Structure formats: structure tokens, C-alpha cells
Amino acid sequence: MGLLDGKTAVVTGAARGIGKAIALKFASEGANIAFTDLVIDENAKNTEKEIEALGVKAKGYASNAANFEDTAKVVGDIHNDFGRIDILVNNAGITRDGLMMRMSEQQWDMVINVNLKSAFNFVHACAPIMMRQKAGSIINMASVVGVHGNAGQANYAASKAGMIALAKSIAQELGSRGIRANAIAPGFIMTDMTASLSEEVKTEWAKKIPLRRGGSPEDVADVATFLASDLSSYVSGQVIQVDGGMNM
Ligand code: NAI
């Protein structure tokens, strides 16, 4: 028996990276998986097949999480296809790094829209379904830089701080309807997002991590599984750092 048997999870931006690891872990615990990404290309189709191979229903949907109408439509489609939504993981995210004084308005808007507005869009569309079911778990993917800030990432850090405050606010507003909301703040996790960082930056990060290694997407997926499942049924409004003990 799996921790998430009979539940349906929506994971945004899950064709690869942390989102994919979460989708696979949830599926291995019995959840049916609806995931989104900007395009459902060959890679996303392969992700869909890998999830299905775990014996659950899985479907990838092309949608831009930053777009309000797109999100309302895709959540409607998912609800029609799966019949329920028990877990929402707001995972889609991007970086457009730069020092504040050199940051363009476009860099700012893009990161805030993809990383933060996307979560508003999905909560707005999924919460009414969860409220009717009188239960739900919402997980916002934040970051340690959303807790501590980071030079060169003002847009990204602000978006991730927003994800934490959004989760805490939803927890307060919707707790009486049986809906829990929490945030995960990963540290340095080895994915495509961090692959482009310079060796110098990676070495600096590694020095700050007591466990002396970067995290894997699976390290984050394990914590997401705890927050999605009834193991955390009395946990809401929290932010859990998954960072190898690093305090920035
Ligand atoms: P990634 O770049 O490997 O994967 C992100 C996925 O989101 C991609 O499949 C991408 O196509 C999708 N995506 C981007 N924009 C989208 C949009 N508008 N609509 C739908 N999908 C979209 O990144 P990674 O590392 O897996 O990150 C996942 C989440 O974890 C992000 O929110 C990121 O900010 C967060 N995070 C990652 C850390 C790391 O060290 N890798 C650390 C802390 C947080």
C-alpha cells in the first residue's frame, strides 16, 4: 500500500528536474499524475511513459503556468480527465540572474510571473476543487534564497520569498476547509537549472554545505512526498529547507 494511493497530484513544470523526480516518487506511492510543462515534446512524453510504468495514470499537458487563462483551462482539462485533484505542487520556475542595478524590467517580470504568479494561477484554479473535496495539500517550491536573499538574484529571491508567504497565507485562509499549504526551500540541487552555474559558484556553494554535497532531485521529492501525504496531516503553513544543513 502506497502513501498516496487513490490520490491525484498536479505537478507543474515536471518534464524534467525536481518536478519530474516528485512526479515519479508520488507515482511510486500510488498517486495518479497530471503534470504540465511549456511543451509536451519527446522528453516530456518519455517522462509520461516513465510515470505510467509505475502502474498509475499519467498525462502531460502543455501549458504556460504564468498565464492565468491557460492555467484555468488546463486545470479544467485535468479535472475532467482525472475526476479529482488532491495535491498541487507549484514547481515550475526559472532564473534570469543579474545584479539589481543591471536587471531589466523584463528580467524582473519574467521571473516573478513564472515563479510566483504561476502559483497564484494554479491555487486559484485548484482550490475550489479541493474545497469541494474538503481536503487538499498544496506545496510551493521556494528556495533557500527566498529565506535569506542572494546577491545577483533579487528577482528570483523575491519570487521565492513570495512563494513562502503565499503558502502561509493559503494555510491560514483555507485550513478550515481541510486544505494544507506548505513550502519547500531547496538549497543547491543538481539539475539543468544549476548545471549552467560556473565552477567557481558551485565550489563556493559546496563549501557552505555541512553534508558536503549538492542535493539530488530525489532529496526534494522525499520531502514533497511527506508534505503531500497524510504523514503530515497536522503540518501547514511551514517552510522546510532541504539544503544539506546549509545556512546561508
Ligand atoms: P529545471 O529548469 O530543471 O526544470 C524546470 C521545469 O519547469 C522545466 O521542465 C521547464 O520547462 C518548466 N517551466 C519553465 N517555465 C515554465 C512555465 N512558464 N510553465 C510551465 N513549465 C515551465 O529546474 P529545477 O532545478 O528542476 O527546478 C524546479 C523548481 O525548484 C523551480 O521552481 C526552481 O526555482 C526550484 N529550485 C531549484 C533549485 C536547484 O538548485 N535546482 C534550488 C531551489 C529551488
Side-chain angles (χ1 to χ4, degrees), residues 10 16 82-83 87 90 96 98 158 171 182 218 236 243:
V10 176
R16 65 173 195 225
F82 286 78
I87 302 155
N90 288 310
R96 292 292 182 275
N182 293 286
E218 290 72 27
S236 196
D243 62 1

Side-chain angles (χ1 to χ4, degrees), residues 13 16-18 37 64-65 91 141-142 156 160 186-187 189 191 193-194:
R16 65 173 195 225
I18 292 171
D37 215 294
N64 177 1
N91 169 77
M141 201 53 65
Y156 184 78
K160 295 304 188 180
I189 309 296
T191 66
M193 182 177 271
T194 43

Side-chain angles (χ1 to χ4, degrees), residues 107-228:
Q107 271 174 296
W108 175 269
D109 286 346
M110 251 194 110
V111 168
I112 297 294
N113 285 336
V114 175
N115 294 8
L116 180 57
K117 189 184 172 201
S118 59
F120 165 76
N121 293 341
F122 269 88
V123 171
H124 201 272
C126 291
I129 296 165
M130 292 177 169
M131 280 159 71
R132 283 198 293 279
Q133 293 171 187
K134 297 187 171 56
S137 175
I138 295 170
I139 301 167
N140 281 356
M141 201 53 65
S143 163
V144 287
V145 308
V147 180
H148 302 283
N150 197 24
Q153 288 197 306
N155 51 357
Y156 184 78
S159 74
K160 295 304 188 180
M163 287 291 264
I164 292 169
L166 179 64
K168 286 176 182 279
S169 304
I170 296 163
Q172 290 178 29
E173 280 190 33
L174 301 181
S176 63
R177 316 298 285 265
I179 298 173
R180 298 184 295 108
N182 293 286
I184 297 178
F188 181 80
I189 309 296
M190 291 171 298
T191 66
D192 287 359
M193 182 177 271
T194 43
S196 60
L197 293 174
S198 70
E199 281 310 313
E200 197 189 338
V201 171
K202 286 185 199 168
T203 310
E204 277 310 304
W205 276 83
K207 277 188 207 157
K208 293 180 192 160
I209 303 172
L211 290 180
R212 291 288 182 270
R213 65 170 178 90
S216 67
E218 290 72 27
D219 288 324
V220 182
D222 286 343
V223 175
T225 304
F226 165 69
L227 290 175

